[in-house]
Amino acid sequence: MTQAFLTPQISIDTITDGLNPEQKRAVETTQGPLFILAGAGSGKTSVMTRRIAYLLAKEGVAPWNILAITFTNKAAREMNDRVQKLVGDVAQDIWMTTFHSACVKILRREAEHIGLAHTFTILDADDQISAIKQCMLDLNLDLKKFDPAAVQWKISAAKNELISPFDMPRGGKKNLIDAIAADVYHGYQARLKSANALDFDDLIFKTVDLFEHHPEVLETYQQKFKYIHVDEYQDTNRAQYKLIGLLAKASRNLCVVGDTDQAIYRWRGADISIMLNFERDFPEAAVIKLEQNYRSTNTILDAANALIRNNENRKDKTLWSAKGAGDKISVYAALDQTDEAVYIIASVQEHIGKGGAFRDCTVLYRANAQSRAVEDAFLQAGIPYKIIGGMTFYDRREIKDVMAYLKVLVNPEDEISLLRVINVPKRNLGEGSIRRLLDFAHEKDLSILEAMGRIGQPQAPGPEADAAAELTASLGAKAADGAAKLYQIMTGLRAMQEGLTVTEFVQLVLTRTGYREMYAGSHKEEDQNRLENIDELLTVTRSFDRRRRHGTLADFLSETSLLSDTDKESGAKDNAVHMMTVHASKGLEFPVVFVIGVEETLFPHARSMDSLEGVEEERNLCYVAITRAQEKLHLSYCFERSLFGQTQMNDPSRFLDELPKGLLEASKSDLQIVPRWDVGIHVRHPQFGSGVVTDLTGEGDELELEITFASRHGTKKLKPKLTKLRVLDK
DNA sequence: GGCGACGCAGTTTTT
DNA sequence: CTGCGTCGCC
């Protein structure tokens, strides 16, 4: 039995080969709860994969008894590949997925227990917002006065805490948005229910719901998942915590891996206390710290250690490596974003000059908007680059449209998706007609698609036929015709699905719906691009068909809607400088890293600066950024930067002050000259605007200028030492 | 019902 | 500055 699930050549020694003592202990501690505090770059993926291999090889655990939850699909895939390499094809029977994918898998099987059809669709972020908007309109709420995104946010936060519409706190009188969110939450859930749809947060919530109300189902999964692993445990939210708690309750074989210092998703409901409380939840837990880092030089690690020591809410650990000190960290004081970009380009070229490649270099920033200045400069300098995240393939309109068609074809109740494409291409179904269709459908308790089916169809005389005739009349001939045709197209397509691969079916959808034709007739470059993107989608389906022999359209949709931005990238094969947010960089590593905009109000971000938790999370983020670097780290900040068209001046980030000076090598822009103050010099102040120096007193740090501003601020006395003053040419 | 032109607003991180 | 949404006009 012991060897039953193994490829013959594997031995225990191979599994623990090359591991350090802590790693080895983590691999071999298989029974009972285990807490692995894994520092950045400490080889935790290696530990996880080998632990799984060890369970199979040494303990004779069946692959289907193992569950491994990762944060992204990419991490799951990587783990899958690595386990596969260790143990061979039995790896396919192990559940190695994200929380969301695992829940989809469970719900597809068990949906009927909780009154859900297994064909349910998953709303993406856009769908969610449009559904929220619809609900708000139903409640006669002014979309301009109340931000649908804020409402969506509140609802999502509630779901992450497993709060149902009925338990939603309505807030005080002054917190109108809370009361609104509570109201909208009811309507929103009703709308999702009738569309047989779930949003991201529901996937977890409903699975917990399922387990809590159907103990027999829970028991099945408890028995199935005898060994549970959760990666990035510091980023779990209450709902995920509950889910894991339920599953692990029977076996108590729960292995969590994480790093409190890399907790960066509090804003999304992640709760670091879950990780800090693991030992309270599981008093018998074994605790292992992985502190040896295999990624970075000690200079980089010492900087990271020093920085993170300023946080209170953490588990102490100190990273070290056997790599030696390496280069100092470069800190560059730029004049502005353009100058900052020029610095990056010069450094990248220097790296190339030394025989390095573009792909070794990565630019990290706090906010997506910062990428633009760098991008422009790269373009001008002819530096190849690739932006990860931001507007991605799946965000494109044409892709979303096609996906909406597919969603409706899988789940005809999906009103949200149908409304997206009901008039794309044009079918003479405008706002008025859609309203009438919707009203009719809701009144008769039909889906819109069914309502459209009643148009122009011969029916037995009676009240039903009369109502249908009335609807047809009220729509007008053109709209009625459009609706009837769309109904026929969709029913026709649904009938043809049998036996076709996803690719073949999508091809059919593209022609039958007239979607491809809509762009094919156009000569606009934009439209030609859209056609190319559609073709690209077909390459995606082809690869899906190849990978998943009997994969259904529903599987394809689940898979694509659960992809994250980093998942969506084809891989870092292009020889280009990569650019991404710090968040997107988690789990990755690069030889040369540039962290830009290391300034107050940007990093830490202004919106996180008013609370201790906020600043600590920003510091975690900075820690993540620093620990991405293997060999060389560059930090930079700007003396002035333009944001929304106007110039602002930020102080260098407090995080820079927290790094030991001895590890740093500071330089600053040639453009940033020290001004020789004198009467008559024109200056600009971040708040008061431009003015002229009219007098000066004192010297050195005590030097004080009298400045007459052009604005209503009049004359002020300011010390240049304490004020951000910029000298104007004239 | 569709298109264009304004004006306006909003700017962190995303499974 | 740019992208978005709404409004007004054809």
Side-chain angles (χ1 to χ4, degrees), chain A residues 5 9 12 22 34 138-139 173 253 263 277 355 369 405 439 442 525 548 589:
Chain A
F5 309 112
Q9 65 271 33
I12 310 299
E22 289 77 29
L34 172 63
D138 287 348
L139 294 169
K173 272 248 158 66
N253 290 325
N277 286 339
Y405 272 114
D439 288 344
H442 290 162
E525 194 187 329
R548 304 269 302 267
E589 59 185 17

Side-chain angles (χ1 to χ4, degrees), chain A residues 190-251:
Chain A
R191 189 172 280 267
L192 294 197
K193 172 108 187 160
S194 77
N196 192 29
L198 299 178
D199 66 20
F200 284 128
D201 307 309
D202 281 335
L203 296 174
I204 317 287
F205 196 154
K206 294 289 173 189
T207 309
V208 170
D209 213 40
L210 166 77
F211 286 160
E212 286 197 311
H213 293 104
H214 298 272
E216 76 289 355
V217 179
L218 172 61
E219 211 189 310
T220 315
Y221 285 92
Q222 282 176 336
Q223 287 187 357
K224 175 172 172 51
F225 299 128
K226 293 199 172 81
Y227 294 87
I228 300 173
H229 304 74
V230 184
D231 192 11
E232 307 283 12
Y233 195 62
Q234 77 282 355
D235 286 327
T236 43
N237 62 37
R238 304 306 300 187
Q240 292 163 336
Y241 168 69
K242 180 79 192 171
L243 182 69
I244 289 301
L246 287 167
L247 283 173
K249 204 171 170 186
S251 73

Side-chain angles (χ1 to χ4, degrees), chain A residues 510-712:
Chain A
L510 287 169
T511 38
R512 292 291 173 109
T513 58
Y515 196 84
R516 174 174 266 149
E517 185 60 30
M518 179 174 75
Y519 290 127
S522 161
H523 293 293
K524 280 198 251 171
E525 194 187 329
E526 191 191 7
D527 292 338
Q528 291 306 309
N529 280 335
R530 293 193 195 281
L531 280 177
E532 282 171 25
N533 286 326
I534 292 170
D535 285 336
E536 185 58 33
L537 180 66
L538 289 166
T539 11
V540 177
T541 60
R542 269 183 215 108
S543 110
F544 174 84
D545 285 331
R546 225 175 299 121
R547 216 173 45 242
R548 304 269 302 267
R549 283 284 169 63
H550 302 288
T552 63
L553 186 56
D555 293 333
F556 175 70
L557 290 175
S558 307
E559 200 179 286
T560 44
S561 55
L562 293 174
L563 293 180
S564 74
D565 278 352
T566 25
D567 295 330
K568 287 167 188 167
E569 297 310 321
S570 41
K573 301 203 175 48
D574 305 358
N575 189 12
V577 178
H578 284 66
M579 298 169 59
M580 68 191 85
T581 63
V582 181
H583 279 91
S585 76
K586 187 154 105 160
L588 307 176
E589 59 185 17
F590 315 93
V592 182
V593 169
F594 297 87
V595 186
I596 66 172
V598 190
E599 293 154 38
E600 290 290 301
T601 76
L602 216 59
F603 206 174
H605 195 275
R607 289 168 87 125
S608 308
M609 276 170 33
D610 43 15
S611 73
L612 179 71
E613 295 83 14
V615 173
E616 295 211 336
E617 179 152 308
E618 295 285 318
R619 192 175 281 111
N620 283 348
L621 205 47
C622 189
Y623 176 83
V624 169
I626 290 174
T627 53
R628 295 314 93 196
Q630 294 171 299
E631 288 153 25
K632 177 73 192 179
L633 176 65
H634 298 263
L635 307 172
S636 58
Y637 58 92
C638 296
F639 182 66
E640 63 177 42
R641 75 170 46 238
S642 56
L643 207 58
F644 326 135
Q646 59 182 352
T647 309
Q648 59 169 227
M649 291 169 169
N650 297 325
D651 286 323
S653 172
R654 66 189 75 181
F655 299 149
L656 289 170
D657 295 333
E658 295 171 2
L659 306 179
K661 295 285 160 294
L663 304 175
L664 311 179
E665 191 173 50
S667 64
K668 71 176 168 185
S669 167
D670 297 339
L671 301 171
Q672 202 184 317
I673 36 136
V674 180
R676 347 174 290 288
W677 299 111
D678 209 346
V679 172
I681 286 178
H682 292 254
V683 297
R684 192 168 64 221
H685 184 275
Q687 274 92 47
F688 306 145
S690 56
V692 184
V693 177
T694 44
D695 192 18
L696 72 184
T697 49
E699 48 187 54
D701 287 358
E702 291 304 308
L703 179 71
E704 194 170 51
L705 306 177
E706 184 188 81
I707 300 166
T708 306
F709 289 100
S711 59
R712 63 193 157 74

Side-chain angles (χ1 to χ4, degrees), chain A residues 24 240 271 353 399 406:
Chain A
K24 191 156 181 278
Q240 292 163 336
D271 186 349
I399 303 304
L406 301 179

Side-chain angles (χ1 to χ4, degrees), chain A residues 2-54:
Chain A
T2 306
Q3 297 296 312
F5 309 112
L6 288 179
T7 47
Q9 65 271 33
I10 188 145
S11 77
I12 310 299
D13 289 348
T14 325
I15 294 174
T16 53
D17 212 25
L19 295 180
N20 68 39
E22 289 77 29
Q23 290 177 325
K24 191 156 181 278
R25 191 154 77 86
V27 167
E28 292 174 349
T29 307
T30 56
Q31 302 303 312
L34 172 63
F35 178 107
I36 304 176
L37 185 63
S42 62
K44 67 168 184 187
T45 308
S46 194
V47 168
M48 288 274 260
T49 52
R50 288 163 192 247
R51 189 173 192 273
I52 290 168
Y54 190 87

